Coordinates of all heavy atoms in Angstrom, one line a residue:
M259 N -12.1 -11.1 -12.7 CA -12.9 -11.4 -13.9 C -13.0 -12.9 -14.2 O -14.1 -13.4 -14.5 CB -12.3 -10.7 -15.1 CG -13.3 -10.6 -16.3 SD -14.7 -9.5 -16.0 CE -13.9 -7.9 -16.1
A260 N -11.9 -13.6 -13.9 CA -11.9 -15.1 -14.1 C -12.9 -15.7 -13.2 O -13.5 -16.8 -13.5 CB -10.5 -15.7 -13.9
A261 N -13.1 -15.1 -12.0 CA -14.0 -15.6 -11.0 C -15.5 -15.1 -11.1 O -16.3 -15.4 -10.3 CB -13.5 -15.3 -9.6
G262 N -15.7 -14.3 -12.1 CA -17.0 -13.7 -12.3 C -17.3 -12.5 -11.5 O -18.4 -12.0 -11.4
I263 N -16.2 -11.8 -11.0 CA -16.4 -10.6 -10.2 C -16.1 -9.4 -11.1 O -15.0 -9.2 -11.5 CB -15.4 -10.6 -9.0 CG1 -15.7 -11.8 -8.1 CG2 -15.5 -9.3 -8.2 CD1 -14.6 -12.1 -7.1
I264 N -17.2 -8.6 -11.3 CA -17.1 -7.5 -12.2 C -17.0 -6.2 -11.5 O -16.3 -5.3 -12.0 CB -18.3 -7.6 -13.2 CG1 -18.2 -8.9 -14.1 CG2 -18.3 -6.4 -14.1 CD1 -19.3 -9.1 -15.0
N265 N -17.7 -6.1 -10.4 CA -17.7 -4.8 -9.6 C -17.0 -5.0 -8.3 O -17.2 -6.0 -7.6 CB -19.2 -4.4 -9.3 CG -19.9 -4.1 -10.6 OD1 -19.8 -3.0 -11.2 ND2 -20.8 -5.0 -11.0
V266 N -16.1 -4.0 -8.0 CA -15.2 -4.1 -6.9 C -15.2 -2.8 -6.1 O -15.1 -1.7 -6.7 CB -13.8 -4.5 -7.3 CG1 -12.9 -4.5 -6.0 CG2 -13.8 -5.9 -8.0
R267 N -15.3 -2.9 -4.8 CA -15.1 -1.7 -4.0 C -13.7 -1.8 -3.3 O -13.4 -2.7 -2.6 CB -16.1 -1.6 -2.8 CG -15.9 -0.4 -1.9 CD -17.0 -0.2 -0.9 NE -17.0 -1.3 0.1 CZ -17.8 -1.4 1.1 NH1 -18.8 -0.5 1.3 NH2 -17.8 -2.5 1.9
D268 N -12.9 -0.8 -3.7 CA -11.6 -0.7 -3.0 C -11.8 -0.1 -1.7 O -12.1 1.1 -1.6 CB -10.6 0.0 -3.9 CG -9.2 0.0 -3.3 OD1 -8.9 0.4 -2.2 OD2 -8.3 -0.6 -4.0
I269 N -11.5 -0.8 -0.6 CA -11.8 -0.3 0.7 C -10.6 0.3 1.5 O -10.7 0.7 2.6 CB -12.4 -1.5 1.6 CG1 -13.2 -1.0 2.8 CG2 -11.3 -2.4 2.0 CD1 -14.5 -0.3 2.3
G270 N -9.5 0.4 0.8 CA -8.3 1.0 1.4 C -7.1 0.9 0.5 O -6.6 -0.2 0.3
N271 N -6.6 2.0 0.1 CA -5.4 2.0 -0.8 C -4.8 3.4 -0.9 O -5.4 4.3 -0.3 CB -5.9 1.6 -2.2 CG -4.9 0.7 -3.0 OD1 -3.7 0.9 -2.9 ND2 -5.4 -0.3 -3.7
T272 N -3.7 3.5 -1.6 CA -3.2 4.9 -1.9 C -4.1 5.5 -3.0 O -4.6 4.8 -3.9 CB -1.8 4.9 -2.3 OG1 -1.7 4.2 -3.6 CG2 -0.9 4.1 -1.3
H273 N -4.2 6.8 -2.9 CA -5.0 7.5 -4.0 C -4.4 7.3 -5.3 O -5.0 7.1 -6.3 CB -5.1 9.0 -3.6 CG -5.8 9.8 -4.7 ND1 -7.1 9.7 -4.9 CD2 -5.3 10.8 -5.5 CE1 -7.4 10.6 -5.9 NE2 -6.4 11.2 -6.3
E274 N -3.0 7.3 -5.3 CA -2.3 7.1 -6.6 C -2.7 5.8 -7.2 O -2.9 5.7 -8.4 CB -0.8 7.2 -6.3 CG 0.0 6.9 -7.6 CD 1.5 6.8 -7.2 OE1 1.8 6.6 -6.0 OE2 2.3 6.7 -8.1
A275 N -2.7 4.7 -6.4 CA -2.9 3.4 -6.9 C -4.4 3.3 -7.4 O -4.7 2.7 -8.5 CB -2.6 2.3 -5.9
V276 N -5.3 3.8 -6.6 CA -6.7 3.7 -6.9 C -7.0 4.4 -8.3 O -7.7 3.9 -9.1 CB -7.6 4.3 -5.8 CG1 -9.0 4.6 -6.3 CG2 -7.6 3.4 -4.6
T277 N -6.5 5.6 -8.4 CA -6.8 6.4 -9.7 C -6.2 5.8 -10.9 O -6.8 5.7 -11.9 CB -6.4 7.9 -9.5 OG1 -5.0 7.9 -9.1 CG2 -7.2 8.6 -8.5
R278 N -4.9 5.3 -10.7 CA -4.2 4.7 -11.8 C -4.9 3.4 -12.3 O -5.2 3.2 -13.5 CB -2.8 4.3 -11.4 CG -1.9 3.8 -12.6 CD -0.5 3.5 -12.1 NE -0.5 2.4 -11.2 CZ -0.5 1.1 -11.6 NH1 -0.5 0.8 -12.9 NH2 -0.4 0.2 -10.7
I279 N -5.3 2.5 -11.3 CA -5.9 1.3 -11.7 C -7.3 1.5 -12.3 O -7.7 0.9 -13.3 CB -6.1 0.4 -10.4 CG1 -4.7 -0.1 -10.0 CG2 -6.9 -0.9 -10.7 CD1 -4.6 -0.7 -8.6
S280 N -8.0 2.5 -11.7 CA -9.4 2.8 -12.2 C -9.3 3.3 -13.7 O -10.1 2.9 -14.5 CB -10.0 3.9 -11.4 OG -11.3 4.3 -11.9
E281 N -8.3 4.1 -14.0 CA -8.1 4.6 -15.3 C -7.8 3.4 -16.3 O -8.3 3.4 -17.4 CB -7.0 5.7 -15.4 CG -7.4 7.0 -14.7 CD -6.3 7.9 -14.5 OE1 -5.1 7.6 -14.9 OE2 -6.5 9.0 -14.0
L282 N -6.9 2.5 -15.8 CA -6.6 1.4 -16.7 C -7.8 0.5 -16.9 O -8.0 0.0 -18.0 CB -5.5 0.6 -16.0 CG -4.1 1.2 -16.0 CD1 -3.1 0.4 -15.0 CD2 -3.5 1.3 -17.4
Y283 N -8.6 0.3 -15.9 CA -9.8 -0.5 -16.1 C -10.8 0.2 -17.1 O -11.3 -0.4 -18.0 CB -10.6 -0.7 -14.8 CG -9.9 -1.7 -13.8 CD1 -10.5 -1.9 -12.6 CD2 -8.8 -2.4 -14.2 CE1 -9.9 -2.8 -11.6 CE2 -8.2 -3.3 -13.3 CZ -8.8 -3.5 -12.0 OH -8.2 -4.4 -11.1
E284 N -11.1 1.5 -16.8 CA -12.1 2.2 -17.6 C -11.6 2.3 -19.1 O -12.5 2.2 -20.0 CB -12.3 3.6 -17.0 CG -13.0 3.5 -15.7 CD -13.2 4.9 -15.1 OE1 -12.8 5.9 -15.8 OE2 -13.7 5.0 -13.9
S285 N -10.4 2.4 -19.3 CA -9.9 2.6 -20.7 C -9.7 1.2 -21.3 O -9.3 1.1 -22.5 CB -8.5 3.3 -20.7 OG -7.5 2.6 -20.0
E286 N -9.9 0.1 -20.6 CA -9.8 -1.2 -21.0 C -8.3 -1.6 -21.5 O -8.1 -2.5 -22.3 CB -10.8 -1.6 -22.1 CG -12.2 -1.5 -21.6 CD -13.2 -2.0 -22.7 OE1 -12.8 -2.3 -23.8 OE2 -14.4 -2.0 -22.3
Q287 N -7.4 -0.9 -20.9 CA -6.0 -1.2 -21.2 C -5.6 -2.5 -20.5 O -4.8 -3.3 -21.0 CB -5.0 -0.1 -20.7 CG -5.2 1.2 -21.5 CD -4.2 2.3 -21.0 OE1 -3.0 2.1 -21.1 NE2 -4.7 3.3 -20.5
I288 N -6.2 -2.7 -19.3 CA -6.0 -4.0 -18.6 C -7.4 -4.5 -18.2 O -8.4 -3.7 -18.3 CB -5.1 -3.9 -17.4 CG1 -5.8 -3.0 -16.3 CG2 -3.7 -3.4 -17.8 CD1 -5.0 -3.0 -15.0
I289 N -7.5 -5.8 -17.9 CA -8.8 -6.3 -17.6 C -9.2 -5.9 -16.2 O -8.5 -6.0 -15.2 CB -8.7 -7.9 -17.7 CG1 -8.5 -8.3 -19.1 CG2 -10.0 -8.5 -17.2 CD1 -8.2 -9.8 -19.3
G290 N -10.5 -5.5 -16.0 CA -11.0 -5.1 -14.7 C -12.4 -4.4 -15.0 O -12.6 -3.8 -15.9
G291 N -13.3 -4.7 -14.0 CA -14.6 -4.1 -14.2 C -14.8 -2.8 -13.5 O -13.8 -2.0 -13.4
D292 N -16.0 -2.5 -13.1 CA -16.2 -1.2 -12.4 C -15.7 -1.1 -11.0 O -15.7 -2.1 -10.3 CB -17.8 -0.9 -12.4 CG -18.3 -0.5 -13.8 OD1 -17.5 -0.2 -14.7 OD2 -19.5 -0.5 -13.9
M293 N -15.2 0.0 -10.6 CA -14.5 0.2 -9.4 C -15.1 1.3 -8.5 O -15.4 2.4 -9.0 CB -13.0 0.5 -9.7 CG -12.1 0.6 -8.5 SD -10.4 0.8 -9.1 CE -9.6 1.3 -7.6
F294 N -15.4 1.0 -7.3 CA -16.0 2.0 -6.3 C -14.9 2.2 -5.2 O -14.2 1.3 -4.9 CB -17.3 1.4 -5.8 CG -18.3 1.2 -6.8 CD1 -18.3 0.1 -7.6 CD2 -19.3 2.2 -7.0 CE1 -19.3 -0.1 -8.6 CE2 -20.3 2.0 -8.0 CZ -20.3 0.8 -8.8
R295 N -14.9 3.4 -4.7 CA -13.7 3.8 -3.9 C -14.1 4.3 -2.5 O -15.1 5.1 -2.3 CB -13.0 4.9 -4.6 CG -12.4 4.5 -5.9 CD -11.6 5.7 -6.5 NE -12.4 6.8 -6.9 CZ -12.0 8.0 -7.4 NH1 -10.7 8.2 -7.3 NH2 -12.9 8.9 -7.8
A296 N -13.4 3.8 -1.5 CA -13.5 4.3 -0.1 C -12.2 5.0 0.2 O -11.1 4.4 0.1 CB -13.8 3.2 0.8
G297 N -12.3 6.2 0.7 CA -11.1 6.9 1.2 C -10.6 6.4 2.5 O -11.4 6.2 3.4
F298 N -9.4 6.1 2.7 CA -8.8 5.4 3.8 C -8.2 6.4 4.8 O -7.4 7.2 4.4 CB -7.8 4.4 3.4 CG -7.4 3.4 4.4 CD1 -8.2 2.4 4.9 CD2 -6.1 3.5 5.0 CE1 -7.8 1.5 5.8 CE2 -5.7 2.6 6.0 CZ -6.6 1.6 6.4
M299 N -8.5 6.3 6.1 CA -8.1 7.3 7.1 C -7.8 6.6 8.4 O -8.5 5.7 8.8 CB -9.2 8.3 7.3 CG -8.8 9.4 8.3 SD -10.2 10.4 8.8 CE -10.8 10.9 7.3
D300 N -6.7 7.1 9.1 CA -6.4 6.6 10.4 C -5.9 7.8 11.2 O -5.5 8.8 10.6 CB -5.4 5.5 10.4 CG -5.5 4.6 11.6 OD1 -6.3 4.9 12.5 OD2 -4.7 3.6 11.7
R301 N -5.8 7.7 12.5 CA -5.2 8.7 13.3 C -3.7 8.3 13.4 O -3.3 7.1 13.5 CB -5.7 8.7 14.7 CG -4.9 9.8 15.5 CD -5.4 10.0 16.9 NE -4.4 11.0 17.5 CZ -4.7 11.7 18.6 NH1 -5.8 11.5 19.2 NH2 -3.8 12.5 19.0
E302 N -2.8 9.3 13.4 CA -1.4 9.1 13.4 C -1.1 8.4 14.8 O -1.4 8.9 15.8 CB -0.6 10.4 13.3 CG 0.9 10.2 13.4 CD 1.4 9.2 12.4 OE1 1.0 9.3 11.2 OE2 2.3 8.4 12.8
S303 N -0.4 7.3 14.7 CA 0.1 6.6 15.9 C 1.1 5.5 15.4 O 1.2 5.3 14.2 CB -1.1 5.9 16.6 OG -1.4 4.7 16.0
E304 N 1.8 4.9 16.4 CA 2.7 3.9 16.0 C 2.1 2.7 15.3 O 2.7 1.9 14.6 CB 3.6 3.4 17.2 CG 2.8 2.7 18.2 CD 3.6 2.2 19.4 OE1 4.9 2.3 19.2 OE2 3.1 1.7 20.3
N305 N 0.8 2.5 15.6 CA 0.0 1.4 15.0 C -0.8 1.8 13.8 O -1.7 1.1 13.3 CB -0.9 0.8 16.0 CG -0.1 0.2 17.2 OD1 -0.2 0.6 18.3 ND2 0.6 -0.9 16.9
A306 N -0.7 3.0 13.3 CA -1.5 3.5 12.2 C -1.2 2.7 10.9 O -0.1 2.3 10.7 CB -1.2 5.0 12.0

C-alpha cells in the first residue's frame, strides 16, 4: 500500500495463509488491497 500497490495476485502459497490473509484484508483488520489467488501445484519429487 505504501508503494501504491492495491491489487495483488498470490502466485503460490499455502491455502491456510492465502485464506487468512485475504480475510484480514477484506475485513480491513490489517492493511491490504484486493487479492487474487493461484493454486500452487508440483509433482512429488526431492526437488518439489
Side-chain angles (χ1 to χ4, degrees):
M259 196 67 73
I263 299 166
I264 296 177
N265 296 283
V266 177
R267 179 178 65 179
D268 189 296
I269 202 71
N271 216 322
T272 66
H273 176 68
E274 176 192 11
V276 166
T277 52
R278 186 181 66 83
I279 294 168
S280 180
E281 289 169 359
L282 289 169
Y283 286 177
E284 289 177 5
S285 63
E286 298 187 354
Q287 294 181 62
I288 66 175
I289 295 172
D292 286 347
M293 183 173 167
F294 298 80
R295 298 181 290 171
F298 192 74
M299 181 196 305
D300 203 2
R301 178 179 177 162
E302 178 56 45
S303 79
E304 66 175 354
N305 296 111

